């Protein structure tokens, strides 16, 4: 089952899912024959203390855990009447109130810190945690204090601390010891609670699959500590495609892979080592980023102004041999780091400059364009990926799964197969452009198959998006004639889920919303309210929560019996 931690709902929560909820999910998973729970990123994303921090792929630290996942009483918060009243109010909300939840949690934790820290700080467990994690923990704690003191995570505005200095930060930590200790206190309890949950899951035969975001925030501890590892003058994104005519701009700085290679990718290995303390498998977000990234200059927001990095650029002399003037800027983009080197603009064929070309030069440009975007760089990107991925994968025992959706060069699946990285297979996003859909029976063994991801509508809402597409699915995949039903009825959902369970894919991991879709009594009334993220909206509020509690889910005997029987029949039982 795939479900974000923040989306979990139990009777013990404080308005948001918590690490301790995972124990109850483990019990449910084990009881129904499941062995994997897949989560979204769980790192701290606190930047502005507003709902915009709800985006889980923009962490302020790639090591620190998010304070919202703490169970407060277990961290020393007294559960008095006022606490319980607020807890009940927040937990009854249909969606997460990110700002109220996090503000209240931090306020209560500060009170508990004042009462409990002196005794805790003298314990062997706390001292061992700080010693083991100090390389990221102390800078993170200082970052949090400076962020709140300055009212911004943008460290370029921190005057004397705009550039990280170990000596200056050490002095700052001494001067602000109590505030720094608070954040260490919070991280200690987060680590303690999640470690307990992981041990419990393993005792039940259940593992957690984590999520490794491809980007890091330009206002993060990582960027503050190691600016030389990142190209802070650029932004990562994705080129235009059928879903986004302008492309995507994620805002993250891109990686300086050459610099990272100098110490054999120590930052990456440390990051993966931390992740492996909690997870046995992980999803590599946008694995294509290890081959090449779509880089966008800081001066623009549009992905149309981006270019591949790295890439085999065209030297000015080569372009001139094709009959092109490098000053034809509507057709080419100059590489910002290599003089006299150019990339064809990805949107060039929609420009007046292209329309003005004579027939010969238009044909010449088309050949160059198609070669550059679909052929010229493929082996080059493969070589670049093979310089990085083996070193990173060899440093961890976690099972690697790659998110390989979108415009993927042919060399990507070759590398993934060679390195035994599981691919991601989605029925409505076939890898072959010739297919409208793909039947799960055709998936490769080294893959993870799923009905939908957090960036897509779950089955029922997708069913109602486009009647033409739904009718095709109804006929091609489900083998029916005529018009598809107006809504995706529970028996249809079950048929789709069974196709996925019986797939030859190594792992079938389905969103909880899609599991529930096959039960007309349990599933949510409004299919449209089940979506977690809308990628086209960069300011989306990530606040989806289960509409029933885990306790209610575990007590749904008929549904759980059906689920258990389906899993056992498919041969996927533990």
């Amino acid at each position: 089952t795939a479900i974000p931690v923040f989306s979990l709902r139990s009777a013990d929560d404080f308005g948001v899912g918590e690490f301790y909820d995972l124990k109850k999910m483990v019990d449910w998973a084990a009881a129904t024959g499941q062995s994997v729970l897949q989560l979204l990123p769980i790192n701290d994303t606190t930047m502005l203390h507003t709902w915009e921090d709800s985006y889980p792929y923009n962490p302020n630290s790639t090591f620190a855990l998010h304070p919202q996942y703490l169970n407060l009483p277990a961290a020393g918060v007294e559960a008095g009447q006022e606490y319980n009243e607020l807890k009940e109010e927040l937990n009854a909300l249909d969606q997460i109130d990110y700002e109220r939840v996090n503000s209240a949690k931090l306020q209560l934790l500060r009170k508990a810190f004042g009462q409990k820290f002196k005794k805790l700080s003298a314990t062997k467990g706390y001292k061992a945690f700080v010693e083991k994690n100090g390389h990221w923990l102390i800078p993170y704690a200082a970052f949090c204090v400076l962020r709140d003191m300055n009212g911004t995570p943008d460290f370029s505005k921190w005057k004397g601390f705009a550039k990280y200095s170990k000596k200056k930060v050490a002095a700052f930590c001494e001067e602000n010891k109590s505030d720094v200790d608070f954040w260490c206190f919070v991280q200690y309890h987060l680590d303690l609670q999640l470690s307990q949950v992981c041990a419990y899951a393993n005792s039940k035969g259940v593992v957690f699959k984590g999520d490794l975001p491809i980007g890091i925030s330009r206002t993060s501890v990582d960027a503050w500590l190691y600016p030389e590892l990142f190209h802070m003058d650029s932004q990562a994104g994705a080129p235009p495609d059928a879903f986004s005519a302008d492309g995507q701009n994620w805002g993250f700085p891109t990686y300086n892979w050459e610099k990272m290679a100098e110490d054999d990718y120590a930052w990456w290995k440390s990051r993966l080592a931390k992740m492996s303390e909690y997870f046995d498998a992980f999803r590599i977000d946008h694995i294509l980023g290890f081959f090449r990234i779509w880089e966008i200059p800081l001066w623009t927001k549009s992905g149309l102004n981006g270019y591949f990095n790295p890439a085999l650029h065209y030297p000015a002399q080569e372009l001139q041999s094709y009959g092109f003037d490098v000053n034809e800027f509507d057709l080419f983009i100059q590489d910002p780091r290599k003089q006299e080197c150019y990339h064809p603009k990805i949107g060039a064929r929609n420009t007046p400059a292209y329309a003005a070309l004579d027939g010969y030069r238009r044909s010449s440009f088309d050949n160059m364009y198609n070669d550059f975007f679909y052929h010229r760089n493929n082996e080059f990107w493969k070589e670049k990926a093979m310089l990085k991925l083996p070193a990173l994968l060899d440093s961890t025992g976690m099972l690697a799964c790659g998110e390989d959706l979108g415009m993927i060069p042919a060399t990507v699946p070759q590398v993934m197969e060679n390195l035994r990285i599981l691919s991601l297979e989605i029925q409505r996003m076939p890898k072959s452009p010739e297919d409208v859909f793909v039947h799960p029976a055709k998936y490769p063994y080294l893959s993870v198959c799923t009905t939908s991801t957090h960036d897509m509508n779950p089955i029922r809402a997708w069913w109602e998006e486009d009647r033409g597409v739904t009718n095709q699915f109804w006929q091609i995949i489900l083998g029916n004639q005529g018009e598809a039903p107006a809504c995706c009825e529970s028996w249809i959902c079950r048929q789709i889920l069974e196709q996925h369970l019986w797939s030859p894919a190594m792992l079938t991991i389905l969103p909880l919303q899609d599991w529930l879709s096959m039960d007309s009594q349990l599933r949510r009334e409004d299919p449209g309210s089940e979506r977690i993220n809308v990628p086209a909206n960069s300011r989306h509020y990530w606040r989806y929560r289960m509409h029933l509690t885990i306790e209610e889910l575990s007590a749904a005997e008929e549904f759980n019996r059906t689920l258990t029987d389906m899993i056992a029949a498919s041969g996927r039982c533990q």
Side-chain angles (χ1 to χ4, degrees):
T1 293
I3 182 78
V5 177
F6 61 75
S7 298
L8 298 173
R9 182 189 292 272
S10 80
D12 299 324
D13 288 335
F14 197 80
V16 68
E18 298 173 351
F19 286 148
Y20 274 1
D21 290 334
L22 289 170
K23 280 188 176 182
K24 297 174 183 178
M25 283 298 287
V26 163
D27 287 338
W28 170 74
T32 52
Q34 301 180 63
S35 55
V36 180
L37 289 175
Q38 177 174 301
L39 313 176
L40 289 188
I42 54 175
N43 296 104
D44 188 4
T45 57
T46 310
M47 299 282 189
L48 305 171
H49 295 286
T50 70
W51 66 266
E52 292 183 77
D53 295 340
S54 67
Y55 178 40
Y57 287 89
N58 189 40
N60 63 34
S61 166
T62 55
F63 294 84
L65 301 172
H66 202 306
Q68 71 178 354
Y69 298 129
L70 265 184
N71 176 277
L72 296 178
V77 173
E78 294 182 9
Q81 182 179 347
E82 187 177 350
Y83 166 88
N84 285 318
E85 287 176 357
L86 181 57
K87 169 181 173 290
E88 293 302 316
E89 179 190 346
L90 293 173
N91 215 24
L93 296 176
D94 185 51
Q95 296 176 304
I96 301 163
D97 187 330
Y98 187 93
E99 292 176 17
R100 286 188 68 200
V101 165
N102 280 279
S103 175
K105 281 202 168 189
L106 288 176
Q107 187 177 354
L108 290 163
L109 283 167
R110 284 191 184 277
K111 187 176 180 181
F113 167 77
Q115 297 169 342
K116 310 287 185 179
F117 181 70
K118 186 176 181 180
K119 184 177 180 180
L120 175 69
S121 63
T123 63
K124 287 183 179 179
Y126 181 80
K127 289 178 179 178
F129 171 75
V130 173
E131 183 177 353
K132 178 183 177 182
N133 296 278
H135 66 99
W136 66 262
L137 178 64
I138 303 305
Y140 160 79
F143 176 94
C144 291
V145 177
L146 284 161
R147 173 199 62 202
D148 295 345
M149 275 185 175
N150 290 281
T152 176
D154 185 354
F155 48 82
S156 68
K157 298 178 181 177
W158 290 355
K159 297 180 181 177
F161 292 96
K163 289 187 176 180
Y164 178 80
S165 161
K166 188 173 183 179
K167 185 177 179 180
K168 288 177 69 174
V169 168
F172 175 84
C173 289
E174 281 299 315
E175 293 168 8
N176 299 273
K177 191 174 186 309
S178 180
D179 288 330
V180 169
D181 283 343
F182 169 72
W183 293 106
C184 296
F185 166 84
V186 171
Q187 288 299 314
Y188 166 78
H189 280 291
L190 284 162
D191 175 78
L192 182 65
Q193 292 187 13
L194 183 54
S195 297
Q196 290 171 352
V197 169
C198 292
Y200 182 79
N202 289 339
S203 75
K204 295 285 186 176
V206 175
V207 300
F208 296 129
K209 180 184 174 189
D211 196 318
L212 183 76
I214 185 60
I216 66 115
S217 172
R218 65 181 60 253
T219 57
S220 65
V221 186
D222 304 84
W224 187 42
L225 258 64
Y226 312 112
E228 70 280 3
L229 299 183
F230 312 100
H231 291 305
M232 301 296 288
D233 59 349
S234 66
Q235 308 163 90
D241 57 24
F243 302 99
S244 177
D246 201 45
Q248 297 179 41
N249 185 338
W250 305 325
F252 307 129
T254 57
Y255 295 119
N256 185 343
W257 288 109
E258 291 75 19
K259 190 67 179 176
M260 289 177 162
E262 290 179 7
D263 62 5
D264 197 25
Y265 309 103
W267 176 80
W268 276 104
K269 290 179 178 180
S270 181
R271 183 181 179 186
L272 289 170
K274 185 61 182 174
M275 197 174 183
S276 67
E277 292 178 17
Y278 312 119
F279 300 106
D280 291 289
F282 71 116
R283 169 189 178 270
I284 305 174
D285 175 42
H286 193 67
I287 193 171
L288 192 51
F290 288 88
F291 293 74
R292 50 81 170 158
I293 200 72
W294 189 249
E295 191 168 68
I296 304 167
L298 269 184
W299 57 264
T300 179
K301 290 186 177 180
S302 174
L304 286 167
N305 295 315
Y307 45 83
F308 288 132
N309 181 20
L312 294 173
H313 337 76
Y314 288 105
Q317 190 175 2
E318 185 176 355
L319 290 180
Q320 288 163 1
S321 72
Y322 284 110
F324 293 102
D325 185 340
V326 296
N327 293 317
E328 294 177 278
F329 292 115
D330 283 345
L331 297 179
F332 303 100
I333 292 177
Q334 184 171 355
D335 190 90
R337 299 184 188 92
K338 294 190 178 180
Q339 291 186 346
E340 296 298 305
C341 289
Y342 298 84
H343 307 251
K345 265 191 176 180
I346 196 165
R349 291 191 283 196
N350 296 320
T351 64
Y354 176 81
L357 293 175
D358 58 51
Y360 172 79
R361 291 214 304 160
R362 186 179 297 180
S363 176
S364 179
F365 184 83
D366 286 345
N367 291 335
M368 180 195 308
Y369 182 97
N370 290 330
D371 179 59
F372 182 82
F373 284 106
Y374 301 106
H375 306 289
R376 179 183 177 99
N377 290 286
N378 286 358
E379 287 301 317
F380 176 66
W381 289 332
K382 180 179 180 179
E383 292 170 9
K384 293 296 183 181
M386 290 302 290
L387 289 175
K388 309 158 194 165
L389 284 171
L392 303 185
L393 296 176
D394 287 347
S395 72
T396 176
M398 292 186 290
L399 174 68
C401 312
E403 186 264 296
D404 57 341
L405 306 176
M407 184 174 148
I408 302 294
T411 52
V412 174
Q414 294 170 14
V415 169
M416 291 178 66
E417 185 174 359
N418 289 343
L419 298 179
R420 297 296 185 261
I421 301 173
L422 274 58
S423 64
L424 178 60
E425 306 295 335
I426 301 178
Q427 196 166 33
R428 56 185 118 143
M429 290 187 73
K431 300 289 172 65
S432 171
E434 298 173 1
D435 294 330
V436 180
F437 308 104
V438 61
H439 199 289
K442 297 181 178 179
Y443 293 158
Y445 174 68
L446 291 177
S447 69
V448 179
C449 90
T450 187
T451 45
S452 57
T453 74
H454 62 275
D455 285 332
M456 304 163 65
N457 260 327
I459 292 174
R460 292 192 299 147
W462 170 77
W463 189 269
E464 299 174 15
E465 278 181 11
D466 185 318
R467 287 297 300 165
V469 172
T470 303
N471 283 330
Q472 282 185 299
F473 186 86
W474 172 253
Q475 295 158 12
I476 296 171
I477 296 298
L478 299 182
N480 299 302
Q481 295 182 340
E483 289 273 318
C487 67
C488 198
E489 298 172 15
S490 55
W491 64 271
I492 301 174
C493 295
R494 175 169 176 169
Q495 188 176 348
I496 296 171
L497 299 189
E498 285 184 324
Q499 287 183 349
H500 286 73
L501 284 175
W502 284 86
S503 162
M506 181 191 290
L507 298 177
T508 290
I509 302 178
L510 307 179
L512 182 66
Q513 303 96 302
D514 286 347
W515 276 126
L516 295 174
S517 70
M518 68 176 181
D519 189 299
S520 58
Q521 301 300 313
L522 283 185
R523 66 189 199 173
R524 205 168 193 143
E525 185 175 346
D526 174 21
S529 64
E530 293 185 322
R531 187 162 187 169
I532 295 171
N533 180 42
V534 181
N537 178 12
S538 61
R539 287 171 56 81
H540 181 74
Y541 192 169
W542 296 63
R543 60 191 314 201
Y544 165 75
R545 281 193 92 193
M546 294 169 59
H547 65 290
L548 73 170
T549 64
I550 306 171
E551 292 89 344
E552 291 169 330
L553 174 64
S554 297
E557 294 183 5
E558 185 177 347
F559 169 76
N560 290 326
R561 188 162 49 247
T562 298
L563 181 58
T564 305
D565 291 345
M566 287 171 62
I567 294 172
S570 71
R572 291 190 178 274
C573 189
Q574 288 184 34

